[in-house]
Amino acid sequence: MRKILTTEAQSPRSGIPADSVGIVEPQSHTFPGPFKLACGRVLDEYTLMYETYGTLNADKSNGVLICHALSGHHHAAGYHSESDKRPGWWDHYIGPGKPIDTNKFFVVALNNLGGCHGSTGPASINPATGKPWGPDFPPLRARDWVHSQAQLADLLGIQQWAAVVGGSLGGMQAMRWSLEYPERVHHCVVIASAMKLSAQNIAFNETARQAITSDPDFRDGRYLEENTLPRHGLAVARMIGHITYLSDDGLGKKFGRELRSGTFEQGVEELVEFQVQSYLRHQGDSFSGSFDPNTYILMTRALDYFDLAREYGDDPVTAFSHARCKFLLVSFTSDWRFAPERSREIADALMHANVPVTYAEVESPMGHDAFLLPNERYEKVFAAYMNNVAKELHGELQA
């Protein structure tokens, strides 16, 4: 049997919170090809970086897959060392006693194919050339991620996930799982997502891509070969995206029109900088130092291309008629990028397809980012649903 690494026991003096999964060790595996992509191209092999939290039970039925959003990665919970200042990106919701309870579930989080945190992607070396893939990396679709995730499940010996969970782009992957592998998903949790992007969303993504490609250091995507990096373009792209993840009310309450520097005093000529300007620049600068620009382009295009019902006569009811799992849908009132209307469309299609669905619309001023942040009602809904998933595993609820 293949050994599965789990989290380490933590000393109470380690400074790591008691409800954390603790110190975790990333793992990687290289899968042999051929791996055929939706675009028709074939990868001879590919590597996935992933982390696991909790313990896989004897019949391997308690696995939960975490599908990440645009800029996410495998480090979803815990710490890589005691000196880490920040835990994984969804640490508030994964851990002992948390909604995705690692005392009950074996949680798998990965960096998707095409990513830039250890999995094969544009920044990886193309074995055919010995140079970074760059713009030559194949375009990807959500189904490519799902098929690669299925190979990871095979590696771990998991035939059916207790739940596949994702927010935003991750929710799109979760829905695709329910159609591509209906027999391998028991529950599907879709948070702040949609069956396809609106024209406005596509427009925001294209504007972000233009910011990257118009940077002189982009060099037609071959910046790594030429030892440059379009940091300014990527920073602007992140700023554009970040604005769409927040709400007008949330920005207003956090920053208003407060100044970071300068004055409006008459007779004084001094450059004025608003707090929100400084915040956005900080977000852009931080992101541009840790993310690959070609990956950003690839991921946003995959977002644009996603259309759950395209191959089902553009009928979502027909699409979801292939699903065999139960669904939890969550949306947030101030999320205008993936508005509650989009989740209600999913719920309506599922109901018409006679697929069991629970839907919660959560009050929040935090916009699209609300799915990542603490919220009492969200936590209660999420925890209650996942607790029922755990009870089903133990036969305490009617399936």
Side-chain angles (χ1 to χ4, degrees), residues 59 61 105 160-163 185-187 324-327 356 384-399:
D59 62 2
S61 63
F105 297 111
Q160 184 186 59
W161 296 105
V185 184
H186 195 47
H187 288 266
R324 297 292 178 267
C325 59
K326 300 176 183 179
F327 280 78
Y385 189 89
M386 293 304 295
N387 188 50
N388 283 342
V389 174
K391 287 182 178 179
E392 281 188 10
L393 291 175
H394 293 91
E396 297 175 30
L397 285 180
Q398 290 291 328

Side-chain angles (χ1 to χ4, degrees), residues 129-136 219 221-228:
T129 65
K131 299 178 180 179
W133 278 96
D136 297 328
R219 308 291 175 89
R222 304 194 185 280
Y223 45 85
L224 293 178
E225 291 183 46
E226 301 188 25
N227 294 313
T228 64

